[in-house]
Amino acid sequence: EKGGFDTFMAKEIHEQPQAVADTLRGRIDESGQIVLDEVRMSDQDFRDIDKVFIVACGTSYHAGLVTKYAIEHWTRIPCEVELASEFRYRDPVLDRSTLVVAISQSGETMDTLMAVRHAKDQKARVLSISNTVGSTIPRESDAVLYTRAGIEVAVASTKAFLTQLAACYLVGLHLAQVRGIKYADEVSAVLDELVAAPGKIAKVIENLDPVREMARECAAAGERVLFIGRHVGYPVALEGALKLKELAYLHAEGFAAGELKHGPISLIEAGTPVIAIVPSPRGRSLLHDKIISNIQEVKARGAKVIAVCEEGDKITAAHADLVIETPASPTLLAPLLTAVPLQEFAAELATALGRDIDQPRNLAKSVTVE
Ligand code: F6R
């Protein structure tokens, strides 16, 4: 049932190109419009939205963080992302023109469900993104977009995460579309890139050998691994750290690279592995320059830098100790590619430490208590 792989997690990492392709299939109609599954909201309801709140937990929360960058850029609607367990207890400002997007693989996470109920009590509209048809969160939502990852067995989320990203991009593009043709060109260009993503994810998966080698070296070397990123690379850094914590039981943290100098840089010792998520050097080169400075800062303090960067990025190759290359992609869609080596890194490092990859200690696949 593991399809020739040693673990479900390995199998699920390899299923990602298919899972993302399945999630996109049939969702873009002949006129290029995005189709949601169950919609108890009109286009006018979507046009009336003046604020978006994304609520989720864990890995799903990281998908939400990426989505904020996309929604604000494509739609110019203010978007906040909050841990479901915090959202509900702080009296957020919600009304009929607020769209709450709830992301939950299982559709049963109690913290997220409670956030949805709170939002509905305040008359906000709720759109959910879930991998489980007919689960509680989608049933209680006004609109649903299902991810089609198939059943995820490993406790650590991989293919569900990538499909959440794909679905979230569709939601962002849907919002952009219903709000007018101003963004039409950009939306159709992004849609083309999104459709090309599964092929690129497959390329990343074919090239994971160097990642595995680095992970084994890190297992021998250290007790802590730091992840840094900027823009959408920041949530990817958080996700890389979460995977490593849950699988390897190692101290791992993700930081916004610009924050290092405000405190965390004191964690760096000779040989501390730092994994840097580097944006494309094309287009937003300012962002690229900034992360190169951050790489220099940590290198000067003895860190061993592993950079996840775009193929052919010679500047990064000149500064980092090791590079993991991913195919070129628009900045906002890059997390579909850059998250994958970090999943493999965590799984391989945890394997080297003798951990139970599919069933880490103290964790459950579906968290139905608050
Ligand atoms: C981490 C992981 C968890 C879940 C979180 C939310 O690998 O799997 O952090 O992402 O418990 O679960 P769902 O998406 O089912 O609400």
Side-chain angles (χ1 to χ4, degrees):
E1 56 189 357
K2 291 178 192 154
F5 292 95
D6 290 342
T7 61
F8 281 107
M9 185 172 170
K11 173 173 176 269
E12 290 162 5
I13 286 174
H14 283 79
E15 284 170 351
Q16 293 184 113
Q18 191 62 50
V20 170
D22 289 344
T23 298
L24 297 174
R25 184 167 308 115
R27 254 80 194 252
I28 305 158
D29 73 12
E30 286 125 53
S31 61
Q33 290 292 307
I34 287 147
V35 188
L36 303 177
D37 292 328
E38 286 163 34
V39 198
R40 294 175 283 271
M41 282 175 75
S42 65
D43 279 2
Q44 189 56 45
D45 291 336
F46 279 106
R47 278 193 277 276
D48 290 341
I49 301 297
D50 62 15
K51 185 165 69 180
V52 177
F53 264 114
I54 302 176
V55 294
C57 307
T59 290
S60 302
Y61 169 70
H62 297 152
L65 289 175
V66 171
T67 308
K68 172 189 165 79
Y69 292 82
I71 286 189
E72 290 199 340
H73 181 69
W74 292 332
T75 72
R76 310 310 298 158
I77 308 171
C79 175
E80 286 186 51
V81 193
E82 197 155 352
L83 293 165
S85 54
E86 288 294 318
F87 174 83
R88 188 192 163 209
Y89 293 104
R90 72 164 181 87
D91 199 13
V93 182
L94 302 165
D95 58 32
R96 244 171 242 290
S97 56
T98 312
L99 179 69
V100 171
V101 178
I103 310 174
S104 175
Q105 186 282 129
S106 61
E108 301 294 347
T109 298
M110 191 54 78
D111 285 314
T112 310
L113 177 60
M114 288 303 166
V116 164
R117 288 188 179 155
H118 182 74
K120 296 217 73 174
D121 284 347
Q122 307 293 308
K123 308 280 180 260
R125 314 277 184 171
V126 177
L127 184 156
S128 60
I129 293 178
S130 176
N131 197 40
T132 314
V133 175
S135 56
T136 312
I137 291 169
R139 274 195 279 118
E140 296 197 13
S141 303
D142 298 298
V144 185
L145 189 62
Y146 286 109
T147 52
R148 300 187 189 128
I151 293 172
E152 194 177 56
V153 178
V155 165
S157 188
T158 55
K159 61 175 179 171
F161 177 64
L162 256 60
T163 60
Q164 284 168 344
L165 290 176
C168 284
Y169 292 131
L170 289 177
V171 166
L173 295 168
H174 180 71
L175 277 173
Q177 285 179 334
V178 292
R179 294 172 75 84
I181 53 164
K182 197 166 145 200
Y183 309 100
D185 285 352
E186 187 167 353
V187 166
S188 66
V190 174
L191 277 173
D192 290 346
E193 287 284 353
L194 202 50
V195 171
K200 294 183 187 180
I201 299 166
K203 277 186 86 180
V204 176
I205 292 172
E206 280 165 24
N207 284 317
L208 290 174
D209 281 345
V211 179
R212 284 191 275 271
E213 203 174 302
M214 280 169 221
R216 288 191 293 270
E217 278 173 31
C218 289
E223 69 232 23
R224 96 163 45 104
V225 180
L226 306 181
F227 295 78
I228 60 172
R230 284 177 175 264
H231 195 264
V232 291
Y234 169 41
V236 172
L238 294 176
E239 174 60 8
L242 177 60
K243 287 279 99 76
L244 199 53
K245 278 181 260 206
E246 64 179 332
L247 293 172
Y249 319 150
L250 209 76
H251 177 212
E253 276 206 78
F255 298 110
E259 273 295 292
L260 282 177
K261 57 185 174 298
H262 299 292
I265 201 161
S266 60
L267 290 168
I268 309 252
E269 295 170 356
T272 303
V274 174
I275 303 195
I277 319 305
V278 180
S280 168
R282 300 166 296 112
R284 289 166 193 261
S285 57
L286 189 61
L287 213 55
H288 188 267
D289 293 351
K290 292 282 177 205
I291 200 136
I292 295 294
S293 313
N294 300 128
I295 289 175
Q296 288 170 324
E297 283 161 16
V298 296
K299 287 257 336 162
R301 284 146 185 100
K304 178 179 174 177
V305 176
I306 302 167
V308 179
C309 63
E310 189 171 295
E311 57 196 6
D313 179 350
K314 294 203 176 66
I315 302 170
T316 298
H319 286 89
D321 294 289
L322 295 156
V323 293
I324 300 163
E325 293 192 325
T326 56
S329 149
T331 301
L332 283 168
L333 303 186
L336 285 168
L337 308 178
T338 53
V340 175
L342 307 191
Q343 299 166 343
E344 187 71 17
F345 180 83
E348 186 67 21
L349 202 157
T351 303
L353 296 176
R355 311 300 193 215
D356 182 339
I357 303 303
D358 287 335
Q359 192 56 258
R361 69 186 179 199
N362 307 340
L363 291 172
K365 185 69 189 161
S366 187
V367 185
T368 52
V369 291
E370 260 195 279

